[in-house]
Amino acid sequence: MKRGTEGKRRPVTIHDVAREAGVSRGTVSRVLNGGHYVSPAAQTAVNSAIRRTGYVVNRHARSLITGRSDSVAFLLTEPQERFFEDPNFNVLLRSCTQALAAQDIPLLLMIAGSEAERRRNLRYIAAGHVDGVLLVSSHSGDPVVSDLQAAGVPVVACGKPLGQRTRVSYVAADDRDGAREMVRYLYASGRRRIATVTGPADTPGGVERLAGYRETLAECGLPADDALIAAGDYSRDSGEAAAELLLRRSPDLDAVFVASDLMAQGVLDALARAGRRVPEDVAVGGFDDSPAALSTRPPLTTIRQPWDRISTEMVRMLLAMIRGEESAAVILPTELVRRESA
């Protein structure tokens, strides 16, 4: 029996779009490659024809012409398990994906939690498979930023990269001011033995939030006490361990500012085991306003990071750099969100 092609739909081509729009193939091509030297009327006609015909751009063919991949990488420099544990990464990934989708640009998730993963991902990126990188959770001393810059790859970081000698584009929430606002709030509620669980000292959030905590204690006339400071790594388990250490060192503490909501979950677990009531005995404030803040008991007072704005600005800046514009930096304000934990 001879096999036929009946019932198979022929793929829509650029010629079909041109015929539908009543313009030349060259005009359609120019619209697809940025709209240069195309009148507004022709661009509207082509875009309408694309929607009516269901034309899908052949990205491989276009990349041969433009020299671009028309895709962007979301590079997370954390172990894979941290991606699934920390809700902030998922929120940021979803928001960046949506912002790029509006430009019809796909986003590739890449995780580099080990040296081998970093080298493998950098080889892929440097080979031109993506046009730029949205870098998330960079650590001081990590060479990934300098490696990307050396390869000529546009990169925008989430948070201010530490220890970089060259200028790096980044978008960050105002970590220091957010920490100051939380500590002022705890002080205004009558708390005087205010402890903190910090983020890692090689991350911008860890450094800036601790600095804001220290500055506000001094501003309020409270003595600096290293016994009230314990370090975490942004995981729930590290928050729990840090709270246990703080309770042993300073059993009279009456508040804890925690540098992430996920760590605050662990702090609340430790306080409950120790028989401390929240907020009656110990007030707890977090940072992020992630989904974790609403799943705690009681719900968590926290500092809101504007994740949607952060992701939108990161995408905007990266696309601008891909077009050849200069690097830039944006710092966005945070907001205190009051709930029952403080």
Side-chain angles (χ1 to χ4, degrees), residues 309-330:
R309 286 193 63 194
I310 290 172
S311 57
T312 299
E313 285 297 311
M314 287 179 68
V315 167
R316 180 189 65 78
M317 289 169 57
L318 184 62
L319 295 182
M321 291 182 69
I322 291 170
R323 292 193 299 268
E325 297 181 23
E326 295 295 321
S327 59
V330 174

Side-chain angles (χ1 to χ4, degrees), residues 136-151:
V136 181
S137 193
S138 60
H139 295 255
S140 176
D142 189 338
V144 65
V145 173
S146 56
D147 287 347
L148 289 169
Q149 290 182 323

Side-chain angles (χ1 to χ4, degrees), residues 24 36 44 61 73 90 115 126 130 140 153 160 185 198 211-212 217-218 225 228 262-263 271 280 304 329 335 338:
S24 69
H36 301 294
T44 299
N90 289 278
E115 177 63 20
V130 297
S140 176
V153 179
K160 183 178 181 180
Y185 174 74
T198 74
L217 288 187
D225 186 349
L228 290 171
L262 195 60
M263 290 197 298
L271 291 172
E280 293 85 355
R304 175 176 294 158
E335 177 186 356
R338 297 175 179 84

Side-chain angles (χ1 to χ4, degrees), residues 207-262:
V207 171
E208 291 295 311
R209 295 169 201 177
L210 176 59
Y213 164 83
R214 291 184 185 276
E215 290 169 0
T216 310
L217 288 187
E219 174 188 294
C220 295
L222 298 178
D225 186 349
D226 287 343
L228 290 171
I229 301 173
D233 63 6
Y234 291 138
S235 69
R236 181 172 183 158
D237 288 346
S238 74
E240 187 173 354
E244 291 172 350
L245 176 61
L246 289 171
L247 287 169
R248 289 196 300 271
R249 286 177 178 171
S250 306
D252 60 338
L253 65 84
D254 59 8
V256 186
F257 163 51
V258 192
S260 81
D261 294 343
L262 195 60

Side-chain angles (χ1 to χ4, degrees), residues 262-295:
L262 195 60
M263 290 197 298
Q265 287 185 327
V267 170
L268 290 169
D269 291 341
L271 291 172
R273 260 199 324 276
R276 303 295 182 92
R277 298 170 302 164
V278 176
E280 293 85 355
D281 301 326
V282 180
V284 177
F287 203 106
D288 292 330
D289 197 30
S290 69
L294 294 173
S295 64

Side-chain angles (χ1 to χ4, degrees), residues 2-40:
K2 184 179 179 180
R3 297 193 178 193
T5 58
E6 293 83 356
K8 291 186 178 180
R9 185 179 178 184
R10 180 178 63 82
V12 179
T13 69
I14 193 171
H15 298 282
D16 299 320
V17 175
R19 185 168 51 252
E20 179 73 19
V23 299
S24 69
R25 180 186 178 281
T27 298
V28 176
S29 180
R30 287 193 293 275
V31 169
L32 294 174
N33 290 291
H36 301 294
Y37 309 112
V38 178
S39 70

